[in-house]
Amino acid sequence: MKKILVTIALSFLLVLKSFADEGMWLPMLLGQQVYNDMVKKGLKLTKDQLYNINKASLKDAIIIFGGGCTGEIVSAEGLIFTNHHCGYDAIASASTLDHNYLQNGFYARNKSEEIPTTLSAQFLLRIDDVTKEVMDSLQGLTGADRWKKQASVLASINTRMSDPTQNIETRTSPLFKGNQFLAFVYQRYTDVRLVGTPPESVGKFGGDTDNWEWPRHTGDFSIFRVYSGADGRPAKYAEDNKPLKPKWFLPVSLKGVKEGDYAMIWGYPGSTNRYESSYGIKLATEINNPTLVKLRDMRLKYMFEEMKKYPAVKLQLASSYASIANYWKFFDGETRQLLKYDVYGQKKKVEEKFINWANGKPEYQSIFTDWPAAYEAWKKYSKHRVYMNEGIFGSPLIGFAASLKQLEAALVKTGISKADLQKALDAANKARTSFLSEENKKSDENIVAGVTMLYYQDIPKDQQPVGFYGSLKDRYGALDNETTYKKYAADIFGKTMIFDDAKWNAFIANPDATVLQNDPAFAHASAFYDNYNSKYAPYYSQFMVKNNDLGRLYLKGIMEMDPVKAKMMYPDATFTMRVSYGAVKSYRPRDAVFYDYVTTSKGILEKYVPGDYEFDLPAKQIELLKKKDFGQYIDKKRNDLVVGFITSNDITGGNSGSPVINGNGELIGLAFDGNYEALSHKLAFDKDLNRTINVDIRYVLWCIDKLGGAGHLIKELKLMK
């Protein structure tokens, strides 16, 4: 049965809806058939209420929060709800050991106590179809020439349709692998302030153990507010700025959910690749994913060793650790699911059907001759690339040292002006200050030692930097001995000027390329950087150009092969506004196992372990839950506090913080995760097992009101009872 469901999902390149709750739909282009299905399943709003550029609509309440999450406006005074992990970095940055908001939580008692951040909120103004303009400019072009011209044309459109004086930014997104182009026009507000957050033990309850898992009991929310100038327009932070008066905000439902209820999720899913070829699936499962997981596992091990020893280090590394851990587990799960359901084999079947159709059609018939050749040429270097991104530059020190290559270029450049050189020095100085504020030397030193050894063991010897490991052996010992690499790393960290203020300041005062080049951290970074960039990066560029060209042609051919089905295709996620719809829905992940659609406070108390790194909770919360002090947030049917619920919606990374909305346009929860059984969702949607994990809005409000004592924020909301 499980293999059948994947066959169905893959029957048209994993992109046809077939009314299985699959699809990340563009609100501008909701076809009548899709909208009718939404209405049939419970939607009560009109198309104009969903998306309209001439008057207020629901899309005006949905924002890009920060750099990679979604948020929603929930009050007439610009209040924002999003996930705790989306606000994590801002919360950590605002925290100190004396005022540890990350650990203890925080709620501003009034607007004057709201904390400024460096975050922004971007509102979508409109979406314009610019496909004809782009395609006309690309006539007759292929390969690198096409992609270079495309980049130039998109940049020109973006500039033309932007207005820096109004903070209006345009980003044109290629869709369907470059067969369609839409310009997304945003207005950015930069005065965003932290209003409230639960304690980390609530916002991350379950930690890495529960990550990507159901059942879940995590209070994954945080609260911010967006401000404007007195005229309502974007303005830099100023004490006298005013809370933004939004065009639309979401009312909040206290009515709860039941099995089968309509659920709609709006937001900014980051990326999917459901049009991926069988060759891409095989490369991911055999090389890219396992290598990434191995390297992140090593980095997390050394970071956690230091975090569990010292509270200050935990606070320092918290955001970075959470980010690394999140996709360590994701790519491990993705590989397992792709192999379990033989996604590679299913892709091959679809491709064979296409090959038969393309026979005798010159534009398409050579695709599956050229594609395997392109992958075969790149495959031998692919692990090396993962090692550079996840291993060598996975070390914060070596990553920063590599960034000094720009300064080196300025130092050796003939005829560079004093002003330009000073600009490069100032940039390096500023970057160093930022790096040092986040650096934990002990964990990073272990990472450098670990990855240098793993690189030697895993990367073909003929691809390694010439002479590097021979020199290391001569100075520090046998290359199969862990102690050798520990000695080497200790030397780098003990002797680099990057950690020595006196040496660094002397270098900045009298910059010299030789001094920089002889620095052990810079020399280490350069050995790997120069080796990869000079020899292997060009192969990757050639591969990507070829892969993109073939992917575009293949998808164009697929749509030509079946024009009727093509009308029901949706584009891959590109961190552009999308809407997905489905239902509150329980599931059976395996034989004899049933997962209910909600979790409750009973489950919190069952998981609670006093003092545990992942399952501790504030004493006040435990007291309130044991007393069943749920207030107006109680689920009367269960006589309990509902914490989370699951839906069949189609989402991915970037949807974090997205509103889960009922058929009346009311907020019922915040999306924050997917389930482990469907972690192949970037490449293959599973119509039976895919679930979105959401924190119930009633639990959010309970945490704000009962646990946090911030009832004034509840009064700001429009509650629907």
Side-chain angles (χ1 to χ4, degrees):
M1 181 60 185
K2 288 177 180 176
K3 290 204 173 187
I4 291 173
L5 68 89
V6 176
T7 302
I8 294 170
L10 283 160
S11 64
F12 200 62
L13 284 181
L14 305 163
V15 297
L16 291 185
K17 177 164 179 59
S18 66
F19 302 104
D21 301 333
E22 177 182 358
M24 301 176 186
W25 304 95
L26 287 154
M28 168 198 177
L29 299 175
L30 279 180
Q32 193 62 42
Q33 189 174 356
V34 174
Y35 176 73
N36 289 346
D37 192 49
M38 295 170 79
V39 171
K40 180 181 177 182
K41 291 185 175 181
L43 178 65
K44 309 298 183 187
L45 304 181
T46 66
K47 271 191 177 182
D48 275 350
Q49 286 176 308
L50 295 178
Y51 178 89
N52 195 299
I53 64 172
N54 297 314
K55 56 185 178 182
S57 58
L58 191 150
K59 65 99 174 160
D60 296 311
I62 316 302
I63 62 170
I64 296 177
F65 179 81
C69 280
T70 301
E72 51 275 357
I73 306 297
V74 294
S75 85
E77 294 189 274
L79 202 65
I80 298 169
F81 280 178
T82 189
N83 284 160
H84 180 266
H85 71 265
C86 293
Y88 200 89
D89 196 42
I91 299 164
S93 296
S95 299
T96 64
L97 289 177
D98 292 331
H99 298 285
N100 196 332
Y101 304 132
L102 191 65
Q103 176 177 306
N104 303 320
F106 162 79
Y107 292 97
R109 292 170 294 182
N110 52 61
K111 293 183 179 66
S112 66
E113 291 187 354
E114 295 174 1
I115 301 172
T117 72
T118 58
L119 295 165
S120 68
Q122 296 178 64
F123 292 81
L124 179 66
L125 301 181
R126 69 180 193 275
I127 307 171
D128 290 351
D129 192 330
V130 294
T131 303
K132 186 177 186 306
E133 178 180 350
V134 177
M135 288 299 198
D136 286 350
S137 71
L138 300 178
Q139 289 294 324
L141 298 177
T142 58
D145 291 338
R146 182 185 180 91
W147 294 102
K148 183 178 179 180
K149 179 65 174 179
Q150 178 178 303
S152 173
V153 173
L154 298 192
S156 176
I157 292 171
N158 293 344
T159 299
R160 186 182 76 233
M161 296 178 64
S162 297
D163 183 355
T165 66
Q166 301 295 323
N167 275 29
I168 292 175
E169 307 169 10
T170 298
R171 296 188 289 277
T172 302
S173 181
L175 303 174
F176 295 112
K177 292 195 177 292
N179 286 291
Q180 183 181 28
F181 297 86
L182 298 181
F184 294 78
V185 184
Y186 307 92
Q187 189 164 42
R188 185 189 296 267
Y189 286 77
T190 56
D191 187 353
V192 175
R193 306 180 195 181
L194 173 63
V195 175
T197 175
E200 182 183 24
S201 56
V202 176
K204 285 192 67 180
F205 185 73
D208 294 325
T209 298
D210 275 4
N211 191 22
W212 301 107
E213 302 286 351
W214 181 259
R216 198 68 168 274
H217 300 82
T218 310
D220 200 345
F221 75 92
S222 57
I223 311 169
F224 293 79
R225 192 186 306 277
V226 58
Y227 283 76
S228 69
D231 58 1
R233 296 179 179 180
K236 293 181 180 179
Y237 170 80
E239 286 189 14
D240 59 351
N241 280 350
K242 305 297 182 185
L244 178 69
K245 302 299 181 186
K247 297 177 183 177
W248 191 285
F249 66 89
L250 299 178
V252 178
S253 173
L254 293 181
K255 292 172 281 190
V257 299
K258 62 182 185 298
E259 179 94 18
D261 277 356
Y262 178 84
M264 179 168 62
I265 294 179
W266 287 66
Y268 287 86
S271 65
T272 55
N273 193 12
R274 293 179 183 170
Y275 303 98
E276 180 62 285
S277 68
S278 61
Y279 312 110
I281 299 293
K282 194 169 187 178
L283 186 68
T285 56
E286 292 184 353
I287 297 177
N288 290 351
N289 288 7
T291 305
L292 180 148
V293 169
K294 178 179 182 178
L295 291 169
R296 289 200 170 198
D297 188 53
M298 179 270 296
R299 290 161 62 191
L300 290 169
K301 170 190 170 184
Y302 291 129
M303 292 171 74
F304 187 70
E305 283 178 358
E306 300 307 307
M307 290 171 70
K308 67 183 180 183
K309 293 178 187 175
Y310 311 106
V313 175
K314 180 185 176 184
L315 185 61
Q316 179 189 38
L317 296 180
S319 182
S320 177
Y321 183 91
S323 176
I324 296 167
N326 189 38
Y327 275 94
W328 165 81
K329 190 168 186 177
F330 174 85
F331 283 109
D332 181 60
E334 179 183 76
T335 302
R336 293 174 188 271
Q337 303 309 319
L338 291 172
L339 293 173
K340 182 177 182 179
Y341 299 121
D342 189 24
V343 172
Y344 169 79
Q346 298 301 329
K347 288 278 192 178
K348 291 294 288 185
K349 291 178 182 177
V350 177
E351 290 167 358
E352 287 166 5
K353 179 181 178 181
F354 178 85
I355 290 169
N356 290 333
W357 172 84
N359 188 33
K361 298 178 177 65
E363 187 175 13
Y364 305 118
Q365 65 182 11
S366 66
I367 289 176
F368 283 93
T369 301
D370 297 341
W371 226 343
Y375 269 90
E376 191 60 33
W378 167 245
K379 184 178 179 180
K380 68 187 76 167
Y381 309 117
S382 58
K383 182 181 287 189
H384 195 159
R385 183 172 184 272
V386 180
Y387 256 86
M388 292 300 296
N389 291 333
E390 292 289 338
I392 302 300
F393 299 142
S395 155
L397 172 64
I398 303 308
F400 169 70
S403 74
L404 297 177
K405 295 291 291 183
Q406 296 179 21
L407 177 58
E408 179 193 36
L411 290 171
V412 299
K413 184 177 180 179
T414 303
I416 188 171
S417 69
K418 289 184 178 180
D420 286 344
L421 178 57
Q422 190 59 50
K423 187 176 180 181
L425 291 166
D426 290 344
N429 218 8
K430 183 178 179 180
R432 174 179 178 262
T433 300
S434 176
F435 157 72
L436 291 177
S437 70
E438 300 175 0
E439 169 72 343
N440 176 255
K441 292 173 68 175
K442 183 59 179 176
S443 62
D444 197 4
E445 184 178 318
N446 286 331
I447 289 171
V448 170
V451 76
T452 306
M453 181 172 68
L454 289 175
Y455 179 101
Y456 175 74
Q457 294 170 345
D458 287 356
I459 300 303
K461 300 298 183 286
D462 62 353
Q463 293 181 32
Q464 296 177 6
V466 175
F468 177 86
Y469 281 97
S471 175
L472 192 151
K473 179 181 179 181
D474 291 343
R475 296 176 62 192
Y476 298 97
L479 296 177
D480 59 354
N481 191 327
E482 186 177 357
T483 302
T484 298
Y485 299 94
K486 288 185 175 180
K487 290 178 182 177
Y488 172 62
D491 254 8
I492 291 176
F493 278 74
K495 295 178 180 178
T496 178
M497 67 178 174
I498 293 171
F499 293 125
D500 190 319
D501 287 344
K503 289 182 179 179
W504 177 265
N505 291 334
F507 165 71
I508 292 296
N510 186 27
D512 184 286
T514 303
V515 172
L516 178 61
Q517 291 161 351
N518 288 334
D519 181 86
F522 183 81
H524 178 91
S526 294
F528 292 92
Y529 179 96
D530 292 345
N531 175 63
Y532 178 80
N533 274 29
S534 63
K535 298 177 183 177
Y536 308 110
Y539 293 140
Y540 181 69
S541 297
Q542 293 165 17
F543 165 71
M544 286 304 295
V545 167
K546 191 70 174 176
N547 191 39
N548 288 340
D549 251 2
L550 293 169
R552 174 181 57 82
L553 281 173
Y554 181 39
L555 196 51
K556 180 184 176 186
I558 283 288
M559 292 187 285
E560 187 177 317
M561 184 172 70
D562 195 332
V564 175
K565 287 185 178 180
K567 292 180 180 179
M568 286 298 294
M569 293 172 67
Y570 60 87
D572 269 319
T574 57
F575 200 55
T576 50
M577 184 180 282
R578 305 297 175 89
V579 56
S580 71
Y581 65 99
V584 176
K585 197 171 184 180
S586 55
Y587 72 111
R588 296 182 182 275
R590 53 191 176 276
D591 186 43
V593 176
F594 171 75
Y595 283 155
D596 202 355
Y597 63 91
V598 296
T599 55
T600 66
S601 72
K602 179 183 177 183
I604 290 181
L605 294 174
E606 289 172 349
K607 286 183 176 180
Y608 168 60
V609 181
D612 186 80
Y613 190 80
E614 296 181 311
F615 293 97
D616 195 9
L617 282 169
K620 180 180 178 181
Q621 178 164 1
I622 299 304
E623 179 185 353
L624 289 169
L625 295 181
K626 286 182 176 179
K627 288 166 56 180
K628 290 187 174 291
D629 187 355
F630 304 142
Q632 65 177 328
Y633 314 111
I634 189 171
D635 187 288
K636 294 179 181 179
K637 178 182 176 182
R638 296 173 183 266
N639 192 33
D640 206 340
L641 179 65
V642 171
V643 176
F645 64 95
I646 49 174
T647 66
S648 57
N649 291 79
D650 188 2
I651 69 166
T652 191
N655 273 122
S656 290
S658 284
V660 191
I661 303 170
N662 64 19
N664 297 318
E666 301 161 355
L667 184 65
I668 56 175
L670 309 180
F672 71 90
D673 213 349
N675 60 324
Y676 192 81
E677 295 86 359
L679 282 186
S680 60
H681 68 258
K682 282 184 177 289
L683 297 168
F685 181 87
D686 187 316
K687 76 177 184 67
D688 286 341
L689 294 180
N690 185 85
R691 292 295 182 272
T692 292
I693 301 172
N694 316 290
V695 57
D696 193 291
I697 201 63
R698 293 169 296 174
Y699 182 56
V700 171
L701 301 187
W702 181 87
C703 288
I704 296 169
D705 188 358
K706 292 288 187 175
L707 180 61
H712 59 286
L713 294 175
I714 305 299
K715 294 177 182 178
E716 192 176 325
L717 308 174
K718 182 179 180 181
L719 299 180
M720 309 301 290
K721 299 182 180 181

